[in-house]
Amino acid sequence: YGDEGVPAKPAEVEQLPEDLVAQDSLGSVMAVLGDVKFEARKDFVTVFCNVLKKEKGGRNITVDYIVSHSALLDLLVDGLD
């Protein structure tokens, strides 16, 4: 869902992994994950799992990004602890 509870458009959902990688937003969210409430962390995990599954051109850009930025795994584990 986007602003004001309006469902996101399919094109916006498809673009999300690219935007997260291009803007380095994934790392920013993971860095503060441990500071947010439990319910918000559960929402993040749902979005994160869906972003991990998205492929474009036979590649999974989110997984490629995480592999090339190994510190993100540490942030994720710390945030979910």
Side-chain angles (χ1 to χ4, degrees):
Y1 283 85
D3 296 333
E4 301 174 16
V6 178
K9 298 175 185 166
E12 293 171 333
V13 173
E14 291 299 319
Q15 184 64 34
L16 182 60
E18 290 179 58
D19 290 345
L20 287 172
V21 168
Q23 299 172 15
D24 197 30
S25 298
L26 196 55
S28 298
V29 172
M30 287 182 184
V32 297
L33 195 55
D35 299 330
V36 298
K37 293 182 180 181
F38 179 72
E39 291 300 318
R41 281 185 274 168
K42 286 181 10 184
D43 292 339
F44 171 79
V45 169
T46 299
V47 171
F48 184 73
C49 289
N50 285 306
V51 166
L52 285 176
K53 296 176 189 175
K54 296 288 181 193
E55 291 185 8
K56 184 163 187 163
R59 291 184 48 231
N60 191 312
I61 61 170
T62 307
V63 172
D64 292 346
Y65 180 77
I66 292 170
V67 167
S68 67
H69 295 81
S70 60
L72 292 177
L73 290 175
D74 293 331
L75 288 173
L76 182 62
V77 171
D78 290 344
L80 295 175
D81 187 23

